[in-house]
Amino acid sequence: RLLEIHHNVEEPKAFEDYSITLNELEGLKVEIIDGL
């Protein structure tokens, strides 16, 4: 998976100042491994 984090303001100071997107990488299958 691809995690993208972008700031929405010039000087971010809080969590709300960011936009966070989770994407799939083209051509790769996600495999979730339980354990650690």
Side-chain angles (χ1 to χ4, degrees):
R1 292 187 179 152
L2 173 65
L3 181 66
E4 293 183 56
I5 302 172
H6 300 282
H7 54 85
N8 300 322
V9 295
E10 190 64 33
E11 294 185 32
K13 296 183 178 172
F15 181 76
E16 294 79 19
D17 295 338
Y18 295 91
S19 59
I20 301 172
T21 308
L22 182 62
N23 297 309
E24 301 288 330
L25 293 173
E26 187 175 326
L28 294 178
K29 180 183 171 190
V30 175
E31 179 182 352
I32 299 174
I33 301 173
D34 291 331
L36 308 173

